[in-house]
Amino acid sequence: MIELPIYTKSQLALRNGQDKPQIWVAYKGDIYDVTESRLWRNGKHYEHWAGQDLTDELPDAPHTETVFEKFVKVGRLSPA
């Protein structure tokens, strides 16, 4: 099993599609690269912004957590 790098919330926040070219989001401690998704262009997906932990926002979404299965897991979110 490959050990994924750990990123802080500050490092995740930079991958918002504005400050750096990567567009990442976190869910349940995992960080996913959504850069190639047409639904995340410019770092925004409906009322959600990239570079954030979306764990608490998923219950309001019209989809389940299985949506993350189509994206590459690039790291883990630091609990601190």
Side-chain angles (χ1 to χ4, degrees):
M1 184 170 149
I2 297 173
E3 189 76 23
L4 293 172
I6 296 175
Y7 295 94
T8 64
K9 285 187 177 185
S10 296
Q11 290 171 312
L12 173 63
L14 291 173
R15 274 67 176 197
N16 60 12
Q18 309 294 314
D19 297 307
K20 291 186 179 275
Q22 302 96 346
I23 302 174
W24 292 358
V25 297
Y27 178 70
K28 290 189 174 178
D30 292 321
I31 299 174
Y32 297 88
D33 186 342
V34 297
T35 306
E36 298 302 317
S37 173
R38 63 178 176 76
L39 298 175
W40 278 99
R41 290 289 175 238
N42 300 318
K44 187 171 186 223
H45 176 63
Y46 298 100
E47 71 275 2
H48 307 289
W49 293 94
Q52 298 182 29
D53 183 351
L54 302 179
T55 303
D56 293 337
E57 298 182 36
L58 194 71
D60 295 330
H63 53 73
T64 65
E65 64 186 36
T66 59
V67 71
F68 293 104
E69 293 174 0
K70 62 175 121 179
F71 300 112
V72 175
K73 206 181 287 187
V74 293
R76 296 275 305 151
L77 189 58
S78 172

